[in-house]
Amino acid sequence: MSASVFVPLAADSRAAALELMRAYYAEDGHEFVPAVAEAALDAILADAAPAWFWLLQVNGAIVGYCCVTGGFSLEVAGGDFFLDELYVIPSARGRGLGQAAIRFAEDAARDRGAVRLCLEVQPDNHRAAALYERAGYGRHARPLLSKRL
């Protein structure tokens, strides 16, 4: 595995984060809306959201990112967080960086009070699903539903 460093989002890395998000959304089949992505990163930078964003660097080059968001659940009697997004650029895959990012996100979530860490994966993204399952994540019998407010 390559030595990796997780660097918190900063104002001077915002543009790089946006480009990675654009690439991830295109690959995963999500609509990328620049104004929404910019507002999300600005809220994180202003410490106005229960969210934490890190750029993944290898030998000084930015090769991905991960974002953890916080919440609370009665079901687990505590912090119920989301590994909201994890992305590694295609040329950097296969080197253990996804596993490192998962471990980093778990530790970061635990340090911030999480009892459980959840995530979503596209049904046809078998490579990501296998990565998460190897890390101990399991499928739920209950589907996740959502509504934009």
Side-chain angles (χ1 to χ4, degrees):
M1 176 179 70
S2 301
S4 53
V5 176
F6 294 87
V7 179
L9 178 68
D12 64 351
S13 60
R14 182 177 174 272
L18 286 167
E19 285 309 307
L20 286 167
M21 291 173 70
R22 181 186 305 276
Y24 167 60
Y25 287 32
E27 186 175 327
D28 216 35
H30 302 291
E31 178 184 9
F32 181 78
V33 180
V36 172
E38 291 167 5
L41 293 183
D42 290 345
I44 292 169
L45 286 168
D47 203 22
W52 305 273
F53 188 108
W54 299 272
L55 292 166
L56 168 57
Q57 293 184 348
V58 174
N59 299 324
I62 298 171
V63 298
Y65 72 93
C66 66
C67 181
V68 171
T69 61
F72 184 89
S73 172
L74 297 172
E75 190 175 305
V76 298
D80 194 19
F81 286 27
F82 248 87
L83 176 49
D84 190 50
E85 294 184 7
L86 188 161
Y87 179 68
V88 175
I89 62 173
S91 64
R93 293 179 189 162
R95 296 192 258 167
L97 296 172
Q99 293 172 352
I102 291 169
R103 284 191 305 273
F104 177 85
E106 289 173 348
D107 289 343
R110 192 177 299 108
D111 290 348
R112 287 161 175 80
V115 175
R116 176 170 66 184
L117 188 61
C118 303
L119 55 85
E120 298 172 292
V121 63
Q122 290 290 94
D124 62 346
N125 192 341
H126 305 293
R127 183 176 181 169
L131 171 70
Y132 296 131
E133 288 169 356
R134 283 192 308 273
Y137 290 81
R139 298 183 186 273
H140 289 265
R142 297 177 295 177
L144 176 68
L145 305 177
S146 65
K147 177 181 178 181
R148 184 145 183 124
L149 302 176

